[in-house]
Amino acid sequence: MKLFDSELKVMDVLWKEGDLSAGMLAKILKKETGWNRNTTYTVIKKCIDKGAIERYGSNFICKAMISREKVQEYETAELINRMYDGSVVKFFAAFLNSDSLSQEEINKLKEIVEQSK
Amino acid sequence: MNILGISLSAGILIIIITGLRFLNIRKIPQSAYLLLWEIVVLRLLVPISIPVNMSLFEDLNGRINDSIKSIEKLDYSFFSMFHPTEYESITVASKEHPINTIQLLMIIWLIGILLILVINFLRFRNSHQVIREAIPMKEDDYISGRMERWTPKRKIRILTSDRILTPFTVGIIHPKILLPKNMDYSKQNEVNYVLVHELIHVIRQDNLWRILSFAAVLVHWFNPLAWLMYSSFHRDMEMACDEKVISLLGESKKTDYAMTLIQLAEKKSRLIPLYNSFSKNAVEERIVSIMKYKKITRVGVILSMIMVILAGTTFITYAKEKAEYNPRYDPAVNKELYIAEVRGKKVEARQYYPVNENGYTYGPNKYNIESDLIAVEQEEGIFGYCYADDLNGERPGSIEEAFAIMEKWKDGREVLIYESDGETIVGIFKISKAVTR
């Protein structure tokens, strides 16, 4: 599912800390982003509408219904489809060609490719 | 001064400023136009007039004010809205009951305001939500370094959002700069331009003026010139901001800055397929203005000051105006005085007769033209003045009306005698029975 930055921020906290009450979320996010309580609640509601969060209990405990990996998968697939003609190969080629990888990182990538064979 | 009078005088100023803008006089800096528009907005929102007593201009301004007054007659005063019964005794040109037309106009005015508020409320709510959900920028040394250097005392937050396309500033008391996520933050000179531009908006309190200009259009929505003012003002705000950026960063950076703007605009148009031609024109206007940038000269400053002073004269009126509610002139409180105040004043008579403090001419009837107040003398030796309008009585619109009037006043009638000020009542003048044969 498509999550905006603000929603990702909320999910981030849940992924890191586990299930939290809406009040706790508001407190943590206030410190991290300066959002006031109502803003946080609005974002949480949007996440609930998208199915990313489920609320239970009388304290409005929020539970992440989608994992970080799943969202990563979605965003990456979006990116590859949009910018690299849907070709994962093209995506990696572009990545490797740019000077943004150190030798260490290249070696690590090679390892991963080897292992997944 | 009432709303129609204000709208009219501000409208004249708006036409003049728009004309100046059209002429594109290079010497005048863009920031001068900002001052002019600010004066217009203040004029539209603040119902104050500064009375200046200058007999030299009294005649000319008597004429201008009379034309404004004739528009005002449609409206009387704001407070008379709530005392409709007084209208029966006032002779007005229109045959219909003035009450319904005026109350209807007021209702339409209020509905217009409500409509505009409702339409803009949704827009505002959506953008407000996006702003509230913006996230503080990841630590960027360059940006925080710049902000620290330029505004060390003031804490202006910089936030980023994935739902905006161009950078902008929000807030008046706690200003925040919002940057789009998809900006190339590695190009430091571009980041520089954006930051400086937005900071100037903050320093100039442009957001406050945006709100004030919106309020002005809200109140004067019926005046198309107000809408013209709104769009011109906003365009000039941007151009004046660009001008300041170049003046701060140096004329040599003109091209670079313009290119940055074009790129930002390009990005926006790519993402919004229906990028309308209005915005394109606005951007074009800005680019042209930037490239034509010239340092502010002394001549420019003097010209600007002259224009600002001339613009300020919209606040001045030469006749005596009552700015605030004065219970003396409230028809519910002082009926006779109210009638006197609303009477017309014959400006032509001023060549022949002296003028009293309320602007009415008075004197014995010597010339072809009647004065407003005509001298009368009664048997008991009471000497004073009666309003010509009162003496002449109601003007019949038809023969039937003429007979009806004669019938009504067949036993004679009474007319109030005043002192030359047209206010102080000194006696009653009896007009004897009409001769019917």
Side-chain angles (χ1 to χ4, degrees):
Chain A
M1 65 180 71
K2 174 77 188 151
L3 290 175
F4 290 122
D5 274 3
S6 51
E7 291 147 2
L8 271 173
K9 199 98 186 117
V10 171
M11 298 307 297
D12 227 13
V13 179
L14 285 177
W15 286 328
K16 226 189 307 183
E17 312 284 343
D19 295 1
L20 287 172
S21 72
M24 268 314 286
L25 272 172
K27 228 195 228 166
I28 296 173
L29 284 163
K30 170 96 186 128
K31 229 185 301 166
E32 274 190 34
T33 62
W35 287 350
N36 65 25
R37 189 168 277 264
N38 284 330
T39 311
T40 310
Y41 287 173
T42 314
V43 179
I44 293 176
K45 176 159 193 310
K46 284 201 259 192
C47 289
I48 294 176
D49 289 341
K50 290 185 180 177
I53 293 182
E54 215 176 68
R55 210 180 56 189
Y56 63 89
S58 52
N59 291 28
F60 299 130
I61 313 268
C62 300
K63 183 187 180 64
M65 297 304 291
I66 192 172
S67 67
R68 192 195 284 270
E69 287 72 31
K70 265 260 154 338
V71 178
Q72 283 169 341
E73 252 180 62
Y74 174 84
E75 291 281 339
T76 319
E78 260 265 320
L79 175 67
I80 292 174
N81 277 329
R82 197 149 48 97
M83 299 302 289
Y84 295 96
D85 286 333
S87 160
V88 184
V89 176
K90 280 198 186 160
F91 172 61
F92 268 110
F95 205 38
L96 289 168
N97 279 334
S98 79
D99 297 323
S100 53
L101 289 179
S102 67
Q103 193 55 47
E104 266 186 72
E105 289 174 314
I106 294 179
N107 289 339
K108 254 233 166 109
L109 280 173
K110 284 195 185 153
E111 257 185 67
I112 295 174
V113 172
E114 276 302 318
Q115 284 177 1
S116 68
K117 265 207 214 141
Chain B
M1 269 245 132
N2 68 15
I3 195 169
L4 289 172
I6 289 176
S7 224
L8 180 71
S9 60
I12 295 172
L13 187 56
I14 292 172
I15 292 175
I16 295 174
I17 300 175
T18 308
L20 276 174
R21 233 171 145 256
F22 189 69
L23 287 174
N24 229 328
I25 304 169
R26 278 290 96 207
K27 291 279 183 193
I28 300 176
Q30 285 296 135
S31 40
Y33 287 109
L34 276 195
L35 278 174
L36 293 176
W37 290 126
E38 287 171 10
I39 290 175
V40 172
V41 169
L42 286 176
R43 166 75 283 190
L44 286 170
L45 289 175
V46 180
I48 286 182
S49 312
I50 307 167
V52 170
N53 233 332
M54 288 173 83
S55 52
L56 279 165
F57 293 99
E58 208 166 73
D59 223 343
L60 172 65
N61 282 282
R63 286 180 220 273
I64 294 177
N65 279 313
D66 279 342
S67 53
I68 292 181
K69 271 276 184 286
S70 59
I71 297 178
E72 288 183 351
K73 269 213 180 117
L74 294 168
D75 182 272
Y76 295 103
S77 77
F78 199 78
F79 302 99
S80 61
M81 285 317 126
F82 304 97
H83 302 285
T85 51
E86 308 317 308
Y87 284 76
E88 267 109 272
S89 46
I90 298 167
T91 44
V92 171
S94 79
K95 292 217 195 106
E96 320 130 26
H97 250 315
I99 306 172
N100 297 332
T101 345
I102 292 169
Q103 283 187 342
L104 184 67
L105 285 176
M106 264 205 82
I107 291 173
I108 294 176
W109 180 63
L110 287 171
I111 290 178
I113 294 182
L114 224 68
L115 263 172
I116 297 175
L117 280 174
V118 166
I119 293 173
N120 280 291
F121 173 69
L122 293 165
R123 259 177 163 193
F124 171 76
R125 206 177 58 139
N126 290 338
S127 65
H128 197 222
Q129 192 55 36
V130 168
I131 292 164
R132 288 208 302 183
E133 287 181 25
I135 298 168
M137 271 202 74
K138 261 197 299 246
E139 263 310 303
D140 185 310
D141 293 324
Y142 182 72
I143 291 181
S144 31
R146 295 267 104 194
M147 291 302 289
E148 188 51 47
R149 224 181 99 186
W150 291 329
T151 57
K153 287 184 223 145
R154 218 174 167 188
K155 190 94 201 303
I156 298 173
R157 294 175 65 208
I158 302 196
L159 305 163
T160 188
S161 170
D162 58 341
R163 276 175 276 186
I164 59 175
L165 295 160
T166 51
F168 60 88
T169 331
V170 276
I172 303 171
I173 312 169
H174 296 297
K176 300 188 269 219
I177 297 178
L178 262 86
L179 301 173
K181 190 177 174 196
N182 300 324
M183 213 170 75
D184 195 345
Y185 291 99
S186 62
K187 297 205 182 110
Q188 289 192 338
N189 58 340
E190 289 191 5
V191 175
N192 227 10
Y193 296 143
V194 167
L195 282 180
V196 175
H197 182 104
E198 297 306 324
L199 276 175
I200 292 172
H201 275 316
V202 172
I203 292 170
R204 282 211 173 132
Q205 301 277 50
D206 280 348
N207 271 328
L208 178 63
W209 286 106
R210 287 196 182 128
I211 293 177
L212 288 178
S213 60
F214 178 73
V217 173
L218 198 61
V219 171
H220 294 265
W221 62 263
F222 50 84
N223 187 349
L225 292 171
W227 296 90
L228 177 62
M229 174 278 291
Y230 186 77
S231 75
S232 303
F233 191 5
H234 284 234
R235 280 205 195 181
D236 285 338
M237 252 191 249
E238 288 306 314
M239 292 202 280
C241 193
D242 292 331
E243 190 184 65
K244 189 73 182 167
V245 171
I246 303 290
S247 87
L248 282 175
L249 298 180
E251 200 170 331
S252 54
K253 299 277 178 31
K254 270 197 312 202
T255 326
D256 220 7
Y257 181 62
M259 290 305 290
T260 313
L261 272 182
I262 295 175
Q263 278 167 17
L264 280 174
E266 241 178 22
K267 194 168 12 138
K268 193 174 176 185
S269 77
R270 246 193 293 129
L271 292 157
I272 303 178
L274 295 166
Y275 192 35
N276 60 52
S277 58
F278 174 76
S279 314
K280 275 208 202 108
N281 281 338
V283 175
E284 205 182 293
E285 207 181 20
R286 285 176 69 188
I287 306 283
V288 169
S289 166
I290 291 166
M291 294 319 289
K292 283 208 190 143
Y293 169 84
K294 284 270 184 303
K295 260 205 284 239
I296 296 178
T297 60
R298 217 180 303 177
V299 176
V301 174
I302 294 174
L303 271 176
S304 314
M305 288 202 311
I306 294 175
M307 289 191 325
V308 170
I309 292 173
L310 286 175
T313 58
T314 42
F315 280 94
I316 295 176
T317 45
Y318 297 100
K320 261 208 199 148
E321 303 280 357
K322 281 159 287 305
E324 320 100 33
Y325 173 65
N326 189 340
R328 208 157 90 103
Y329 296 100
D330 184 346
V333 176
N334 195 340
K335 181 169 165 174
E336 301 302 339
L337 212 50
Y338 181 72
I339 295 172
E341 197 53 35
V342 174
R343 289 180 213 276
K345 300 164 189 163
K346 289 201 257 316
V347 182
E348 323 82 83
R350 289 179 185 178
Q351 312 172 47
Y352 307 107
Y353 300 103
V355 185
N356 73 10
E357 67 202 53
N358 288 323
Y360 294 101
T361 46
Y362 62 96
N365 218 359
K366 285 193 239 174
Y367 309 99
N368 284 342
I369 297 183
E370 272 180 348
S371 51
D372 299 309
L373 286 154
I374 300 176
V376 296
E377 199 172 10
Q378 287 234 176
E379 309 96 5
E380 297 94 67
I382 297 173
F383 179 76
Y385 300 84
C386 291
Y387 279 95
D389 289 342
D390 287 349
L391 290 172
N392 295 326
E394 303 158 65
R395 284 171 221 283
S398 64
I399 299 189
E400 291 84 13
E401 279 187 56
F403 278 119
I405 290 170
M406 277 171 64
E407 192 54 38
K408 190 160 129 190
W409 299 118
K410 66 174 182 216
D411 290 323
R413 58 193 174 97
E414 294 172 350
V415 167
L416 290 168
I417 309 178
Y418 301 85
E419 281 199 22
S420 64
D421 59 271
E423 288 178 12
T424 327
I425 301 172
V426 291
I428 300 180
F429 185 78
K430 295 189 202 25
I431 297 177
S432 51
K433 294 192 262 196
V435 179
T436 45
R437 170 58 191 88

